[in-house]
Amino acid sequence: MDKTTHDAVAEKSVFSLAWPIFFQSILGIALGYIDTIMLSNYSETAVGAIGNANTLLGFLALAFTIISSATGIMVSQYLGAGKKDEMNRIYTVALAFNLVLSVIISLAVGIFSEQLLHIMQVPDEMMFDANRYMKIVGGTIFTQAIINAFSQIFSSNGKTFFGMIVAFMMNILNIIGNYLLLYGPLTSLGLGASGVAISTTVSRLFAVTAAIIYFCIVIKGSFSPRYLKPFPTQILKSLLKLGIPTAGENISYNFSQLVITAMVNTMGIAAINAKIYSNMLSMLTYMIAVSAAMATQIIVGHKVGANDYDFAYKRVLKTLRFSLIVSISLAIVNYLSVPFTFRLFSSDINVIQLGQTVMLIAIFLEFGRTTNIVVINSMKAAGDVKFPTILAIFSMWGLSVLLAYVLGIVFGMGLAGVWIGMAADEILRGIVVYIRWRKGSWRGKKVV
């Protein structure tokens, strides 16, 4: 990418970068939720099984974000600074590291899937379906690692539209596969959850193939063993120095969610499914904030690389104001529509009542979560990667997990207690990172 192309990326509006990311994010989430919706008419037990398996797989997949997230930061800042000499070497190190790590994890999941699910305290009636799903999707999790790495590369180059197209095609393939195996002519195979896993895997293989072709033809990038000779130790060290704390906040969050999920698994089937459905609907309330934050992250990375800190500062605050208005408004609508939306998934009145309670709490939770999404992504893009991780570890475990246990289990508040704990964590972190951004402590931490 030459300087002129960089300028074109850095000067793009947040909207032009964000709307493809928004639809890509929605479609990416839909890939798992379509499985849940189609399975809900097939087997309620399978819904809980797949939900638990995906929670565990999502946590394991965070290992890939260590390098891929750092790749996004480095590429954006290097392009912003007009330095492109090391691009292909960075691409190769990132893709090679993720591939090797993900193959190891795939083998581990394939061998120890049942033991991992037992640690999660998955109920016995869900174990068979969850285990089969884990072995197929988890055993091919390397495809997700490759997709993650390419996604960061494309976004940093300002190519957000392609990701949306690939996500759309993945969903089409997944729906067709699910229909054929759950309700169509291949129903006689009796695959159930395994059929859903096969559809998900096939759609990811398609995405990997499309990403490689796009990378070579449009990005004009290259990855080759020749870029590893002599081995670029310094690049790997830089990626790890950025990536470990960058991914640390997400790893802490997802690990805490594993512990919380294990708590919810002791509260009965109604609580388990209410949690799954509530998370599905809550994700829609902040997805606009996520897409706006990711688009802003691209611009901030380029602007920080070019030493334009003032532009980055103002851009983040403007994005935050918009995102808070939208996310909280959608959370309110979500709460009011629970009697209708939850009935799309379940006719169990206990599930619906639990959902209504937690969606009310979610209105307050979104204030903190949206602030975290927007500000922390931009802090990381500027190279300020350690502080969010340290804050996350103390807040998530000291508030979210602790209060979930105390309120949800000790005081018997159940799922409502769990949601109060998560809201307290998000709000505290949101206030702290907002103050840090206004103070400018993130300035001067770029990697270029």
Side-chain angles (χ1 to χ4, degrees):
M1 176 182 286
D2 58 26
K3 185 66 176 174
T4 302
T5 307
H6 150 64
D7 290 340
V9 174
E11 300 304 325
K12 282 185 175 181
S13 68
V14 169
F15 178 78
S16 66
L17 291 169
W19 75 262
I21 295 175
F22 170 74
F23 286 106
Q24 179 186 352
S25 300
I26 291 291
L27 291 167
I29 292 172
L31 192 64
Y33 288 171
I34 285 170
D35 292 344
T36 300
I37 293 170
M38 296 184 79
L39 273 172
S40 66
N41 294 317
Y42 182 85
S43 168
E44 282 284 329
T45 301
V47 170
I50 300 304
N52 274 284
N54 277 329
T55 299
L56 187 52
L57 289 173
F59 174 72
L60 294 173
L62 286 172
F64 316 140
T65 67
I66 293 175
I67 293 297
S68 59
S69 58
T71 302
I73 295 172
M74 287 189 70
V75 171
S76 291
Q77 291 193 13
Y78 268 72
L79 293 175
K83 299 181 178 182
K84 59 180 181 178
D85 296 340
E86 292 295 301
M87 287 296 100
N88 286 333
R89 202 173 294 274
I90 293 172
Y91 295 152
T92 300
V93 172
L95 290 166
F97 185 93
N98 264 12
L99 182 59
V100 171
L101 179 61
S102 61
V103 167
I104 294 172
I105 293 177
S106 292
L107 291 172
V109 172
I111 296 171
F112 301 109
S113 61
E114 188 168 353
Q115 289 88 336
L116 291 170
L117 290 167
H118 277 302
I119 293 174
M120 283 284 294
Q121 299 187 44
V122 174
D124 291 339
E125 61 268 31
M126 296 181 179
M127 182 60 70
F128 179 74
D129 283 335
N131 189 39
R132 290 204 303 180
Y133 186 90
M134 280 278 290
K135 286 188 179 298
I136 297 172
V137 176
T140 57
I141 201 170
F142 63 89
T143 57
Q144 187 62 49
I146 298 172
I147 292 170
N148 287 355
F150 275 123
S151 179
Q152 288 291 336
I153 291 170
F154 297 155
S155 294
S156 296
N157 279 273
K159 308 296 185 182
T160 57
F161 183 78
F162 177 74
M164 179 187 70
I165 299 300
V166 171
F168 177 75
M169 293 305 300
M170 286 176 68
N171 275 273
I172 295 298
L173 291 174
N174 193 48
I175 291 171
I176 293 173
N178 284 351
Y179 172 76
L180 291 175
L181 293 165
L182 293 177
Y183 307 106
L186 299 181
T187 307
S188 58
L189 296 176
L191 293 176
S194 295
V196 170
I198 291 170
S199 297
T200 298
T201 301
V202 169
S203 67
R204 286 179 177 174
L205 287 171
F206 159 79
V208 169
T209 303
I212 292 174
I213 295 172
Y214 190 83
F215 174 76
C216 295
I217 295 177
V218 179
I219 301 298
K220 300 187 186 306
S222 175
F223 50 92
S224 169
R226 72 176 182 272
Y227 294 120
L228 301 178
K229 296 178 183 179
F231 189 81
T233 305
Q234 190 55 48
I235 289 178
L236 181 59
K237 284 183 178 179
S238 296
L239 286 169
L240 290 173
K241 184 177 179 179
L242 280 172
I244 290 175
T246 299
E249 190 246 344
N250 286 331
I251 291 173
S252 177
Y253 173 79
N254 280 269
F255 189 33
S256 70
Q257 288 300 302
L258 282 177
V259 174
I260 289 172
T261 298
M263 293 182 199
V264 175
N265 282 339
T266 66
M267 298 176 183
I269 298 295
I272 293 172
N273 286 342
K275 175 182 179 292
I276 293 171
Y277 300 145
S278 295
N279 280 335
M280 288 172 62
L281 294 174
S282 290
M283 281 188 180
L284 294 176
T285 67
Y286 73 86
M287 198 50 61
I288 292 178
V290 169
S291 57
M294 292 177 68
T296 304
Q297 181 181 31
I298 296 168
I299 296 172
V300 168
H302 280 260
K303 287 297 185 180
V304 167
N307 290 318
D308 194 350
Y309 286 100
D310 289 340
F311 184 96
Y313 171 79
K314 295 174 182 177
R315 178 67 270 177
V316 171
L317 294 180
K318 186 175 180 180
T319 299
L320 179 59
R321 286 193 295 271
F322 169 79
S323 300
L324 281 172
I325 292 171
V326 173
S327 294
I328 294 174
S329 297
L330 289 175
I332 293 172
V333 172
N334 225 355
Y335 163 67
L336 296 175
S337 62
V338 164
F340 309 101
T341 53
F342 264 65
R343 290 189 185 278
L344 296 174
F345 310 118
S346 176
S347 58
D348 188 336
I349 190 63
N350 292 322
V351 172
I352 295 171
Q353 289 176 345
L354 279 172
Q356 192 143 30
T357 300
V358 300
M359 294 309 286
L360 174 61
I361 300 169
I363 296 173
F364 302 93
L365 183 150
E366 289 305 330
F367 169 79
R369 180 158 57 185
T370 298
T371 304
N372 287 323
I373 290 169
V374 173
V375 178
I376 290 178
N377 272 280
S378 294
M379 288 169 64
K380 291 175 181 178
D384 187 9
V385 295
K386 293 182 180 179
F387 181 82
T389 300
I390 296 171
L391 175 64
I393 292 172
F394 282 99
S395 181
M396 290 174 185
W397 294 93
L399 283 179
S400 187
V401 174
L402 181 61
L403 287 179
Y405 175 74
V406 173
L407 298 178
I409 294 179
V410 176
F411 288 107
M413 294 178 65
L415 206 58
V418 170
W419 243 256
I420 290 172
M422 292 192 297
D425 160 48
E426 296 283 4
I427 291 171
L428 174 65
R429 285 190 294 126
I431 292 171
V432 173
V433 298
Y434 175 76
I435 293 173
R436 184 175 179 83
W437 187 263
R438 292 298 297 260
K439 287 177 62 179
S441 304
W442 50 275
R443 295 172 184 255
K445 296 182 182 293
K446 67 177 184 176
V447 298
V448 179

